[in-house]
Amino acid sequence: MTTTIADDPVRLLKALIERPSVTPEEAGVFDVLENALLPLGFSVSRLRFEGSGSYPVDNLFAIRDRGGRKLLFAGHTDVVPPGDTADWASDPFTPHEAEGRIYGRGAADMKSGVAAFVAAVARAVAEGAAEDGTIALAITNDEEADAVNGTARLMAWARDEGHAFDFAIVGEPSSAERLGDSIKIGRRGSYSGMVTVEGIQGHVAYPEKANNPLPVLASVVTALKAEALDFGTEHFPASNLEVTTIDVGNTASNVIPAKGTLKFNIRFNDLWSPETLKEWVAARIAGVDPRGCVVRFEGTGVPSRSFLSPQSGDVELLMQVIAEATGARPALSTGGGTSDARFIAQYCPVVECGLVGTSMHKTDEHVAVSDVTGLTEIYRAFIERFLKARS
């Protein structure tokens, strides 16, 4: 059988790494994918979303509709900047294979995941297993930065076009130490905020003529950290608030500053929402004596909601497939930061299942060739069994 770029995940991964798709530059990476998918019978839509206070983003949606159960694979092709290329052993956008590893920016996060699920689909098509149901791919080129005009908009567009899915797999690197040792069935949410305390500037020798905002700011910090948000849930650790910066912009040692600000971030579990966290923070701040200062609180950025996928038979099937491939059942995790799975969870059950990500975002980012081929086989086996399991 002749091997094409579509059913060879290593060859496809190298082709994707060669495209320097640093957010949000698409850099031809979708041309590679479209050329791989069209011969497989996919209908491919290239979509550019813009506005909403962010930059324009290219996205790709592909579907091979055969009725039956509907499986979605999702991921991103954008990568973080490589930093100083002189620190790399080889050019970050020239894939380099050595000692069983492939090196290059995006090798781990997450062009390998995209290459693996495209190759798995190609094999399922060749074997006839893909005729038992519908397979779709949702791929964005903005996950690493704003994530405003990426997967969130793409999923809304797919819904408006009448597409629905029974289950989704995001190919993010979910494994901790070895392929398949962990899959993510949920993620914590993220909520950020800023507190500003305005006093009266003055000379430190005449404090009676000023009003220092810093004691109030310090009391706010104490109030925010004095009480635990919660003690965790069945699948999530305790929610946690961290103060990330306190600034007054004061370079003089003999001046009482006019105002100070603090910023914080909360990673929260399924007991909370951005709305209830805003109320919780506001209540803690309201209990602080302002000492004549003006205290203002506002949320910053776009909050991410927590999600937990239902423990369905599809999750169990994926665990069985992984166990058969690796010899051990994966742990169910909700750890780590946020991912685009949070957007997909609004439309269907979703898990993250991918490679080991210990080198992601680092110099000399790499992935084991055996992991890329191993993940491809896990995806292929899951496609076959999922589509046959008629709902």
Side-chain angles (χ1 to χ4, degrees):
M1 182 180 68
T2 302
T3 300
T4 67
I5 192 172
D7 56 22
D8 184 342
V10 173
R11 185 179 165 196
L12 180 56
L13 172 57
K14 291 178 178 179
L16 296 175
I17 290 173
E18 286 176 346
R19 275 63 180 183
S21 51
V22 176
T23 316
E25 297 300 322
E26 183 264 338
V29 72
F30 285 160
D31 293 337
V32 174
L33 292 175
E34 184 172 6
N35 291 336
L37 292 168
L38 287 175
L40 300 177
F42 278 86
S43 298
V44 178
S45 299
R46 303 273 288 267
L47 304 152
R48 168 167 276 219
F49 300 121
E50 53 188 289
S52 302
S54 187
Y55 40 78
V57 174
D58 292 300
N59 302 271
L60 183 148
F61 180 83
I63 189 165
R64 192 176 188 276
D65 193 342
R66 297 295 187 272
R69 302 198 77 197
K70 296 175 174 60
L71 175 62
L72 174 69
F73 284 100
H76 65 91
T77 47
D78 64 312
V79 298
V80 297
D84 188 346
T85 57
D87 294 333
W88 287 67
S90 60
D91 179 73
F93 296 111
T94 301
H96 173 65
E97 186 172 346
E99 298 180 346
R101 296 175 177 176
I102 298 173
Y103 292 81
R105 179 54 88 217
D109 187 16
M110 59 157 284
K111 290 181 175 181
S112 52
V114 173
F117 63 61
V118 170
V121 170
R123 295 176 185 183
V125 170
E127 295 166 3
E131 301 305 314
D132 291 329
T134 295
I135 303 171
L137 311 179
I139 305 173
T140 184
N141 208 61
D142 180 23
E143 190 268 355
E144 298 288 6
D146 288 3
V148 170
N149 289 314
T151 299
R153 297 281 299 274
L154 187 57
M155 291 301 296
W157 173 87
R159 175 203 59 203
D160 293 343
E161 291 293 308
H163 300 298
F165 312 102
D166 296 302
F167 192 69
I169 294 177
V170 177
E172 285 280 4
S174 62
S175 301
E177 298 179 359
R178 58 174 178 77
L179 176 63
D181 63 2
S182 174
I183 60 175
K184 295 187 185 297
I185 57 170
R187 289 272 194 165
R188 294 176 298 172
S190 177
Y191 178 79
S192 295
M194 180 172 69
V195 180
T196 302
V197 180
E198 296 183 2
I200 300 174
Q201 190 180 65
H203 197 295
V204 295
Y206 303 96
E208 70 279 2
K209 297 181 179 180
N211 189 3
N212 195 333
L214 292 186
V216 179
L217 204 61
S219 295
V220 171
V221 173
T222 299
L224 293 177
K225 293 292 292 182
E227 180 181 332
L229 282 142
D230 58 66
F231 299 96
T233 63
E234 179 182 359
H235 293 287
F236 287 92
S239 301
N240 183 60
L241 181 151
E242 290 296 334
V243 176
T244 57
T245 184
I246 300 176
D247 298 296
V248 296
N250 185 11
T251 59
S253 62
N254 61 349
V255 175
I256 294 172
K259 69 177 180 179
T261 61
L262 72 84
K263 295 180 181 179
F264 64 88
N265 176 265
I266 303 173
R267 296 302 168 107
F268 61 93
N269 57 37
D270 50 347
L271 293 174
W272 299 90
S273 69
E275 292 78 16
T276 57
L277 283 171
K278 183 177 181 180
E279 294 174 358
W280 184 90
V281 172
R284 298 304 173 279
I285 295 172
V288 172
D289 182 359
R291 303 185 186 185
C293 293
V294 177
V295 181
R296 295 187 177 90
F297 157 57
E298 61 181 313
T300 59
V302 179
S304 302
R305 295 181 181 274
S306 66
F307 75 90
L308 181 68
S309 285
Q311 302 304 290
S312 66
D314 295 325
V315 174
E316 176 59 29
L317 174 60
L318 180 59
M319 296 177 71
Q320 291 174 6
V321 168
I322 292 172
E324 291 167 8
T326 67
R329 286 171 64 85
L332 300 180
S333 171
T334 58
T338 60
S339 78
D340 277 1
R342 68 189 188 273
F343 303 123
I344 299 169
Q346 302 173 40
Y347 300 91
C348 68
V350 57
V351 299
E352 295 173 46
C353 174
L355 300 169
V356 177
T358 52
S359 70
M360 58 184 178
H361 295 200
K362 293 183 178 180
T363 299
D364 294 332
E365 181 179 353
H366 61 271
V367 67
V369 173
S370 60
D371 282 356
V372 177
T373 56
L375 182 63
T376 300
E377 176 55 25
I378 288 171
Y379 287 160
R380 186 212 60 78
F382 181 77
I383 291 169
E384 178 181 3
R385 292 165 65 173
F386 174 88
L387 296 184
K388 284 183 178 179
R390 297 284 180 177
S391 57

